[in-house]
Amino acid sequence: QVPLFESGGGSVQAGGSLRLACAASISSYSRYCMAWFRQVPGKEREGVANIDSDGGTRYIELVKGRFTISRDNAKRTLYLQMNSLKPEDTAMYYCGAGVWGVGCSDPTLPVRLQFWGQGTQVTVSS
């Protein structure tokens, strides 16, 4: 069983919205820092946002005010609401789970992931 499974990607025009979801099949889900990342071909993976077990959130500057990360621990699902999308948001988006019991940190910093998904493509046209 895939530990993390992303869905909700697609193609939208600039200014549009998408909501990504990440369904988890890992136990003790609520104790993981959960995060969204994105990657475009030829570039390194980039942290986008993360959320602690207590709901504390962090975002990179590029998405602040446009993206909202949230989690439903009962459903073991992570979300990323993306509004006012821009062409530069085009990327493969991945969700990841940090090390069990370890809190989130600055999303711009490298992070050790215990689980990650296969990704969902987001394409924003101008």
Side-chain angles (χ1 to χ4, degrees), residues 24-109:
S25 60
I26 54 180
S27 59
S28 301
Y29 169 81
S30 64
R31 292 297 309 277
Y32 287 91
C33 163
M34 297 299 298
W36 286 100
F37 304 85
R38 63 188 181 186
Q39 188 170 24
V40 297
K43 292 189 176 182
E44 291 192 356
R45 183 186 69 190
E46 173 186 48
V48 175
N50 60 43
I51 182 167
D52 273 311
S53 56
D54 64 0
T57 58
R58 299 166 185 82
Y59 300 89
I60 59 172
E61 286 297 323
L62 288 173
V63 306
K64 276 184 180 178
R66 300 189 298 122
F67 291 11
T68 302
I69 188 172
S70 61
R71 66 192 295 166
D72 185 331
N73 289 334
K75 295 182 178 179
R76 290 192 287 180
T77 303
L78 176 73
Y79 301 99
L80 185 68
Q81 177 67 44
M82 305 186 295
N83 299 328
S84 302
L85 282 162
K86 304 176 181 180
E88 51 264 44
D89 295 318
T90 295
M92 184 72 80
Y93 282 72
Y94 301 88
C95 64
V99 176
W100 186 88
V102 176
C104 298
S105 60
D106 185 336
T108 66
L109 298 177

